Each structure stands twice: as structure tokens, then as C-alpha cells.
Amino acid sequence: MLRWLAFSVAFLILGTGTAGYLWYQHLNSNLRKGERSAGNSGAKKATPNAEGQTPLNILLIGSDSRNSKENLKLGGARDSVGATPLADVQMLLHVSADRKNASVVSIPRDTRVDIPACENPDTHEKYPASNGIINESLRGGPGCTLDTWEQLTKVYIDHWMMVDFAGVVAMADAVGGAEVCVKQDVYDLPKPKVPGGSYLRMKAGRHKIKGEQALKWLRTRHAFESDIGRSKAQHMYLNSVLRELKSQNAFTDTGKLMNLAETATKSLQVSQEIGTVKKLFDLGMQLKNLPLDKMNMLTMPRIPDPEDPDAHVLPKPGAADRLWAMLREDQSLDPKDRAKAKKKAAAGPEAGAPASIGITVVNGTGADGRAPTEGRAAAVRDLLKDKGFTEADTTSDPGSALTTEVTYPHSAGAQGKSDALSVAKALSLPTSAVKETPSGAGLTLTVGSDWRTGAEAPKTVDDDSDPLEGTESVNGAKTDDCMDVYWPYRTP
């Protein structure tokens, strides 16, 4: 939608002069916007890569608000009118710093997490910090949902975008439809002891859906067995929309362009930083060349919540942590990219002898907001000396790292990376702890908040393991995905 908005605004303003400018101002007035953050996360923006580029993270939120005639008609549940909306769909779009690959990670709405203290920007009602279901985070506005994600993942999120039921229908119509597939005939209607349902009714096979039918598909939960199945169906739909956008030659149709731009600006609520058509245009330009085969969508690894195993889930220890680390470190989730990176690392030059490697140790244990552990840099320096890195030294300059990392400057090239990997191996740190920086000092070990005490580095998921194994994953170029229908919702 951003790509279409970008092209339509550029085309029409250039082609129609003053009239185009007035229309541009009209589009700006359509946009609803709010603060990026509620101010309670503390996540830090990623360090630029060697080319000075940073990743882009956008939180996509689907609201279940019934507080308008249109949304009540589409969503039902009249008793929800006037209630604080829930964020029933939450996805993080991560675009790599070089804009060559992207991933979308969904967190199921029934995930129990820590929600920070927030104040609702509309009602000014204050909510204390709590441990609850993640969809409740919208009580403090989209900025509170963003803070909840940042607190959980430690990934800095640049922007949020939110859409409600009516917005989904309008955008689905504007796109012109997207193809989905079910393996069996389906009718998602209420069942005894299982109230609610999307009322999606569809024959087995492939179908192009839009409007209210698209909304029903995106809301279907029981017929796809769970909220996890619903996430997979949503990913299938989004991938189909992306393919549809790429296949259409809409940019020569002025009427369609105007309709698309009008729909996008009316349907989306966005964070303040992207709250003008110009800023959305710039954002669309960054996303326009992403290849579909480098777009991977998945659902967070999870386990049943011991407090309510039938209804709620928790992030899976280890696997979810490793996934968040991959996003923070801007690692591609594409299996082929990961295999290439591993092969490239193995092909580097041999590391120098430990006694020949100069390394500066920095105390970065205060990154989590607590006071730094006193003397930590010196303690880890001594560990390195015991392992033969006799040139290791400390600096009084403070550092900051949530997880311990070994960095080397871009100018050091492949040799710098090999030396950094040697240091990481000596301390039993994962290879993902090794990072390249654009410039600056030489080889540096920053002791993170995860290693405040002890002589052994914190245990992590095996670097060769796949945190995505066992979770649902859909690649943007895959066209043959088809949803299984849970047997009680199959129709004869």
C-alpha cells in the first residue's frame, strides 16, 4: 500500500501541478497519527552497518474496535461498543539495513507478557505495569503496544501502523483482491461451548477474496484450529497481496492511483514520525524493491502457558530469545542467506596467535538500566589473559550492550573478523556475538548486561540450531500454500 501511495502521489503532483498539490494536502488531512512510544521501553536504535545503514522496523497492529457504525457492522459483538480496543493482530516488519531482505514476525494475541505502565493518549487513563495478554497492551494506545514489543524483544521499532475492520475491508477492495486457499470446505460459525466465529464460508481450493470476505479470512481462528493457524492464514493473505501489487500495472491509471492513495490515507493510523504523505512516500521508496523470495513471514516460537495451557502461550525460552537477537543483529531469517553467511565465515583467513591480538575490554553491563557491575571489564580482561590473549586491556570509557559482543572495524576486513571470532570462541560466545562496525577503535569486547558475574559466558541457543524450526513460516515467493481446516468446521 505504501508503494502505491508513493507512486500515486509523485505521479499526480508532477502531472497536475496546483490541483495535485491541493489533493496532496487533502491526503495529509486524512491521516490520523499518534506518538511513536509511550516512553517506557528503553530499546536503542541499531548501530549502523559499514555503509552507515540501519535496519527498519515497523509494528503492524490490527485493532478490534467496534466503536464506529462501520466497525460494529463488520465485527459484531455489540457488547464491545465503548470498550477499549484490543490489538488482536500484531506483526513486526523488519527490513534489513541494506534493504535486500525482510521478515514479518507475528506474536499470537494470547501471549502472556510484561506490559509496561502506559497512559491512554485519548482518555488519559493511566494503567500500571502488569503481566497480561499482549493484545491488552492497546489500552495505552499503539505506543504502549510498541513499548511492550520493545521491552520483550529489545528491538528498536521505528514506527507503528494500525488499521481497524473497516480499514481492512477498504484496503482489500482497493487492491482488487488476493488469492487464498483451503484444503477442505470451511464454514467458521459458532459451535457449542465455542462462541464466536468469522462466518467465513468457502469451498475447497483457491479463491480470490476482497472486501468483507478478506476480513473474514483474516479473522478466522477456530476453523484454522487456533490463533497460530490464524497467523499463518494472515501471512498467506499478505504474501498474496504483495504478489498482486507486483503483478498489476496500476501506475498508468490515474483514477485507480487516486483511489488507492485516498484509501490508504483514510485506512491507516500511523506514528507521528511518518504522519505525512511525504514521509510515507519516502518510506514506500525504501520498500519498493524488496524481492518477494527474500520476504519471510513466521510466528513467534512459543510454549503453552503453565498458568492457562489451553488458552495462553509464552515465548519459547531460548528459541524466541535467539529470534529476537537475530532481528536486533539484522540477520536474515532466510535459510539460504544464513547458510551462505556461515560458509563465508568459515572461508576467512586464519586468526592470529592469541598473544598477537590486541583487544580492548569495555564494561557495558549497564545497558539494561541497572548500575554497571563494578570492575567487570578488568575481570573479563583477566579471563582473556589466562587464555593467552596477553595484549588484552581495559578502558575507562563506558560501553552499552544488552548481550556481550566482540566488534571489529570495517577497515580490518576478513582478518579482523577472524581475530574477533577467535576471541569469541575462547570465551564460548556464539558467532552471532561478532559484529562489524563502520569505523572506530580496533578489536573490542563489550561485556553486556547478560554477563554481570562469573567466569563463564551466559549460555545461548546453539549457534547452529534453528530458532525457527517447528514454527510456521511462509516465503513471499511461495504460491502453493493452502490452509488445513480443523475438522469440526469442515462442511460436507
Side-chain angles (χ1 to χ4, degrees):
M1 214 56 180
L2 285 173
R3 292 185 62 210
W4 254 337
L5 181 60
F7 279 108
S8 62
V9 169
F11 177 81
L12 290 164
I13 289 180
L14 289 172
T16 60
T18 301
Y21 177 75
L22 292 174
W23 183 70
Y24 169 83
Q25 295 291 49
H26 161 72
L27 293 180
N28 271 336
S29 69
N30 283 345
L31 280 169
R32 295 164 293 153
K33 43 193 176 289
E35 293 296 326
R36 183 194 74 87
S37 164
N40 290 302
S41 75
K44 296 182 179 179
K45 201 168 179 68
T47 302
N49 63 14
E51 285 72 40
Q53 304 163 311
T54 55
L56 176 65
N57 294 297
I58 304 174
L59 182 62
L60 311 174
I61 303 171
S63 162
D64 77 345
S65 172
R66 272 82 167 179
N67 297 331
S68 72
K69 289 182 179 179
E70 295 86 351
N71 285 327
L72 178 59
K73 180 181 177 182
L74 293 166
R78 189 172 296 276
D79 57 348
S80 297
V81 175
T84 302
L86 300 172
D88 269 1
V89 178
Q90 299 181 37
M91 303 179 182
L92 183 67
L93 167 64
H94 172 85
V95 185
S96 63
D98 61 11
R99 305 299 188 257
K100 291 182 179 179
N101 68 78
S103 54
V104 172
V105 178
S106 291
I107 290 184
R109 71 173 188 175
D110 292 328
T111 303
R112 183 162 60 86
V113 297
D114 290 327
I115 302 174
C118 296
E119 179 179 336
N120 186 290
D122 297 322
T123 66
H124 300 291
E125 185 172 355
K126 294 183 178 180
Y127 297 91
S130 64
N131 182 263
I133 305 308
I134 196 168
N135 69 350
E136 298 171 359
S137 61
L138 195 57
R139 66 192 183 190
C144 189
T145 301
L146 181 144
D147 286 356
T148 302
W149 271 75
E150 287 195 342
Q151 184 172 279
L152 173 68
T153 68
K154 304 301 185 292
V155 174
Y156 180 86
I157 301 174
D158 301 271
H159 314 295
W160 55 259
M161 295 183 178
M162 186 165 70
V163 67
D164 57 18
F165 295 151
V168 168
V169 170
M171 291 173 72
D173 281 338
V175 169
E179 190 178 79
V180 296
C181 178
V182 287
K183 292 181 181 178
Q184 301 88 14
D185 295 354
V186 59
Y187 189 21
D188 187 62
L189 75 169
K191 297 283 185 181
K193 298 184 180 181
V194 187
S198 70
Y199 293 91
L200 175 73
R201 192 165 195 164
M202 185 178 289
K203 291 287 186 181
R206 312 195 75 80
H207 304 272
K208 196 167 187 177
I209 59 173
K210 60 180 181 178
E212 291 189 39
Q213 186 78 338
L215 178 64
K216 289 177 181 179
W217 175 272
L218 294 169
R219 294 186 65 202
T220 296
R221 183 185 191 197
H222 301 309
F224 296 145
E225 197 164 0
S226 67
D227 198 43
I228 312 304
R230 185 175 75 153
S231 292
K232 184 177 181 180
Q234 290 168 349
H235 297 160
M236 181 188 296
Y237 176 82
L238 289 176
N239 276 327
S240 182
V241 168
L242 289 172
R243 291 193 297 272
E244 185 73 20
L245 293 176
K246 280 185 173 287
S247 69
Q248 292 185 14
N249 187 22
F251 304 119
T252 58
D253 185 338
T254 303
K256 185 162 188 175
L257 285 173
M258 292 183 72
N259 178 55
L260 291 167
E262 186 81 20
T263 302
T265 54
K266 281 185 175 179
S267 300
L268 293 172
Q269 186 174 347
V270 300
S271 55
Q272 193 77 38
E273 294 79 6
I274 51 172
T276 69
V277 173
K278 171 65 168 61
K279 290 174 181 176
L280 287 172
F281 173 93
D282 293 340
L283 185 57
M285 288 296 98
Q286 292 188 59
L287 304 178
K288 69 184 180 71
N289 292 322
L290 279 172
L292 288 181
D293 64 343
K294 294 298 183 183
M295 169 74 79
N296 289 278
M297 300 188 182
L298 55 114
T299 305
M300 175 195 74
R302 69 266 156 202
I303 58 172
D305 179 0
E307 293 187 8
D308 191 352
D310 294 330
H312 300 155
V313 298
L314 297 175
K316 186 177 182 179
D321 296 333
R322 180 75 185 102
L323 174 60
W324 309 141
M326 291 173 70
L327 295 177
R328 289 195 303 268
E329 295 158 11
D330 197 25
Q331 296 182 34
S332 173
L333 299 186
D334 188 277
K336 294 179 182 177
D337 288 345
R338 296 171 65 196
K340 287 178 183 177
K342 185 176 180 180
K343 186 176 180 180
K344 184 178 179 181
E350 186 176 341
S356 70
I357 299 175
I359 181 166
T360 302
V361 184
V362 179
N363 186 351
T365 55
D368 58 0
R370 294 184 289 166
T373 301
E374 192 171 343
R376 194 63 189 140
V380 176
R381 174 205 61 196
D382 292 345
L383 288 175
L384 282 170
K385 285 182 176 289
D386 290 344
K387 295 178 182 295
F389 293 88
T390 54
E391 295 298 308
D393 204 353
T394 61
T395 176
S396 58
D397 295 335
S400 179
L402 287 168
T403 56
T404 301
E405 60 186 30
V406 185
T407 58
Y408 65 96
H410 176 66
S411 58
Q415 185 62 55
K417 183 173 185 178
S418 293
D419 291 347
L421 286 168
S422 174
V423 172
K425 184 178 180 181
L427 294 174
S428 299
L429 295 169
T431 58
S432 58
V434 174
K435 301 174 185 177
E436 182 185 88
T437 57
S439 59
L443 195 59
T444 302
L445 168 67
T446 303
V447 186
S449 302
D450 63 334
W451 195 12
R452 286 179 165 271
T453 60
E456 293 187 5
K459 299 297 182 185
T460 65
V461 178
D462 184 349
D463 209 43
D464 291 330
S465 69
D466 187 354
L468 313 185
E469 186 176 347
T471 192
E472 299 71 23
S473 182
V474 179
N475 183 271
K478 192 173 182 183
T479 60
D480 58 353
D481 276 320
C482 207
M483 292 299 299
D484 248 320
V485 177
Y486 188 34
W487 69 263
Y489 298 88
R490 298 175 186 176
T491 57

